[in-house]
Amino acid sequence: MSNLIDGKQIAKEIRAELKKEVDALREKTGKVPGLAVVLVGEDPASATYVRMKGKACEEAGFLSRTHRLSEDTSQRELLDLVKQLNEDDEIHGILVQLPLPDGLDEQEVLYTIDPEKDVDGFHPFNVGRLMTGDPSFVPCTPRGVIELLDRSGVEIKGKRAVVIGRSNIVGKPVALLLLQRHATVTICHSRTQDLPGVVREADIVVAAVGRPEMIKGDWIREGAVVIDVGVNRVGEKKLVGDVAFDEAKEAASLITPVPGGVGPMTIAMLLQNTLESFKNHE
Ligand code: NDP
């Protein structure tokens, strides 16, 4: 039997479930959840992500609006757009695609988004609520990691989880979510000593480092579950994760591939957060 966690398939199922729910809500209320995505500049990777988000929104029956602003947009213009979206009753989720071009203050922009529409979960209000364990918008990739574990039948409670990476976007929120679910959590980073030894203790390994195939097969304890968040481009076309997949899959009881693991979950969770925002508002 395969020990692969098929994130592409799981995300597809979630999007189908969301579509069903949105269709029923449209029938009942005449309204649908709306997501506004703001893209500033011409970064090709950001443009691709934004296109994918818009397409997923439309397929699931959401209202999707993309605001494309030129590279030379001023901070004031961007803030004005965010404030306008904060007031827009058709919009329940606002996402400003990062990174912003040089010269724009990312933090001020993210802090201007109404926390009630902050479906990326990056506003300090939502970060604080995640810390205290109150209901909040949880950043999409970390939420996707937990959803993959849940839908694969992995028990989190009481398990030893090791998260490699401590960014605000992935590592820290994943660790908090695992803690909320009663795992015993260790967070590793670039100054961690004996990283292989720490990872070897884990029942659940979450890798969010951004270094191609850094986590070797012999770091993985027999039967551990491995979730690889890393996306690293190697050469022209090839994408690999942070885990040496071919080696690690021999020891792991379950493992996510790259691509096709965590990646597709991020957009599914964005839609989920937007639907939840819609329900809160209506
Ligand atoms: P960051 O660069 O912000 O953080 C990387 C973390 O890894 C840091 O905490 C850093 O430690 C740690 N680290 C770096 N080198 C080592 C090392 N040699 N040993 C141990 N720890 C190390 O990255 P992100 O969290 O934003 O992203 C991580 C990965 O996840 C990337 O590959 C990114 O592309 C991917 N990603 C995928 C998403 C998706 O699938 N949808 C979404 C977001 C990210 P320190 O803090 O000490 O510097």
Side-chain angles (χ1 to χ4, degrees):
M1 217 179 76
S2 163
N3 62 347
L4 216 61
I5 298 181
D6 186 348
K8 207 169 157 190
Q9 179 58 28
I10 293 174
K12 198 171 149 195
E13 285 162 20
I14 294 172
R15 299 213 315 255
E17 290 163 18
L18 292 171
K19 178 169 177 10
K20 238 185 190 168
E21 204 174 336
V22 169
D23 287 347
L25 283 168
R26 186 197 298 106
E27 191 96 327
K28 200 168 129 200
T29 65
K31 296 177 188 171
V32 293
L35 175 69
V37 178
V38 180
L39 173 65
V40 188
E42 311 285 334
D43 179 64
S46 293
T48 305
Y49 288 136
V50 166
R51 247 194 328 275
M52 284 161 64
K53 286 167 186 172
K55 186 163 169 271
C57 254
E58 282 161 17
E59 282 173 6
F62 288 56
L63 167 72
S64 160
R65 268 209 240 134
T66 304
H67 297 266
R68 291 189 171 79
L69 306 182
S70 68
E71 187 91 21
D72 58 5
T73 299
S74 69
Q75 181 78 4
R76 175 61 33 219
E77 286 167 315
L78 182 52
L79 291 178
D80 284 346
L81 172 59
V82 170
K83 287 177 190 162
Q84 192 187 313
L85 294 170
N86 283 344
E87 299 302 321
D88 189 331
D89 289 338
E90 283 192 335
I91 295 301
H92 308 91
I94 303 169
L95 183 152
V96 177
Q97 185 66 42
L98 302 178
L100 290 172
D102 289 347
L104 293 174
D105 180 347
E106 219 161 79
Q107 192 178 26
E108 190 186 16
V109 173
L110 294 181
Y111 286 23
T112 303
I113 296 174
D114 179 350
E116 304 283 329
K117 296 189 178 185
D118 170 39
V119 286
D120 243 349
F122 294 156
H123 192 287
F125 179 82
N126 287 316
V127 175
R129 286 176 75 92
L130 177 61
M131 181 78 195
T132 53
D134 293 322
S136 63
F137 288 119
V138 173
C140 301
T141 302
R143 186 170 181 184
V145 168
I146 301 297
E147 193 73 28
L148 279 181
L149 292 171
D150 283 344
R151 290 194 180 232
S152 306
V154 176
E155 167 105 78
I156 300 174
K157 189 167 77 181
K159 294 290 165 61
R160 270 177 176 263
V162 169
V163 178
I164 313 148
R166 57 174 165 180
S167 73
N168 291 331
I169 297 177
V170 191
K172 278 189 218 160
V174 164
L176 284 170
L177 290 171
L178 289 164
L179 186 63
Q180 252 176 38
R181 297 287 298 273
H182 311 297
T184 301
V185 184
T186 304
I187 306 175
C188 302
H189 45 77
S190 64
R191 270 69 146 202
T192 296
Q193 292 188 5
D194 185 22
L195 184 61
V198 179
V199 174
R200 268 186 210 111
E201 291 189 354
D203 303 308
I204 299 171
V205 179
V206 180
V209 186
R211 296 191 184 271
E213 301 181 327
M214 188 191 90
I215 292 139
K216 304 299 176 202
D218 64 359
W219 301 14
I220 305 299
R221 178 156 122 182
E222 195 67 35
V225 175
V226 179
I227 306 290
D228 191 352
V229 183
V231 181
N232 308 289
R233 193 166 289 281
V234 178
E236 276 289 288
K237 287 221 168 98
K238 196 172 175 217
L239 287 183
V240 299
D242 291 340
V243 177
F245 178 82
D246 288 334
E247 299 169 17
K249 80 171 191 310
E250 299 302 323
S253 61
L254 286 170
I255 184 166
T256 58
V258 176
V262 175
M265 294 298 287
T266 300
I267 292 183
M269 294 300 102
L270 175 65
L271 299 184
Q272 182 99 52
N273 279 349
T274 306
L275 175 58
E276 281 166 18
S277 174
F278 172 81
K279 289 183 187 162
N280 294 342
H281 279 85
E282 294 302 323

